Amino acid sequence: MGDFLASWNLPRATGRVYGRLLLNSGPVSLDALGEALRLSKGAVSVAVRELVSWGLARTIPQPGSRRLLIEAVGGFEQLLAASHERTRAFIRVLREGTRSAEDEKAGARLSEVAEFFESYVDAGDQMLRGRRSTSPGEGV
């Protein structure tokens, strides 16, 4: 998982933490994650923040303590959905850029790239919808 998420330009440690969370049957502490993965508490903390920002993990406060437990909240479908949201933000930037392009050629190039990414997101969304309709309750 570390290598896979690294290919998406996420830190390898983030992928390792996510993989470990998916393997656990329930919530786990930062200390337990660090020990299991031989990562510093700081590296685990940064990884957890990244996973939470992607919607792939959630933190669970412990009453009377500053400690948190962490658990995975989605599988590959959640990761793909989060990637699509970030890609949509990128598409918006590309579309905005077409209005600032130096000439028609540059604008056309930006539009072409935006259209490519829109096709990617549309295909992925279609795949997710099909999976959800054939596997109710999975990956949610």
Side-chain angles (χ1 to χ4, degrees):
M1 186 63 74
D3 291 339
F4 176 75
L5 290 185
S7 73
W8 288 27
N9 294 320
L10 288 170
R12 189 171 186 276
T14 300
R16 292 181 64 209
V17 168
Y18 185 54
R20 185 68 203 177
L21 290 172
L22 289 172
L23 291 171
N24 288 347
S25 62
V28 64
S29 69
L30 288 173
D31 292 332
L33 283 169
E35 188 176 313
L37 298 171
R38 295 189 181 126
L39 293 170
S40 71
K41 193 170 185 175
V44 172
S45 180
V46 168
V48 166
R49 279 196 303 276
E50 184 77 22
L51 292 170
V52 168
S53 77
W54 276 77
L56 298 173
R58 71 179 181 115
T59 57
I60 304 165
Q62 297 304 291
S65 174
R66 290 180 27 200
R67 292 184 183 257
L68 299 171
L69 295 180
I70 301 95
E71 70 179 348
V73 293
F76 183 74
E77 290 177 34
Q78 184 74 16
L79 183 60
L80 190 56
S83 172
H84 286 176
E85 285 308 309
R86 290 188 180 216
T87 303
R88 285 184 188 96
F90 180 56
I91 292 166
R92 287 190 295 275
V93 169
L94 290 169
R95 292 289 182 207
E96 183 71 27
T98 60
R99 292 190 283 278
S100 303
E102 288 184 7
D103 58 25
E104 285 184 32
K105 183 178 178 182
R109 184 175 48 241
L110 285 168
S111 288
E112 184 178 330
V113 173
E115 289 167 12
F116 171 80
F117 281 102
E118 285 171 340
S119 297
Y120 158 77
V121 170
D122 290 345
D125 284 344
Q126 183 176 358
M127 182 190 73
L128 287 172
R129 281 191 302 276
R131 177 161 167 77
R132 288 177 184 142
S133 68
T134 61
S135 304
E138 287 186 18
V140 180

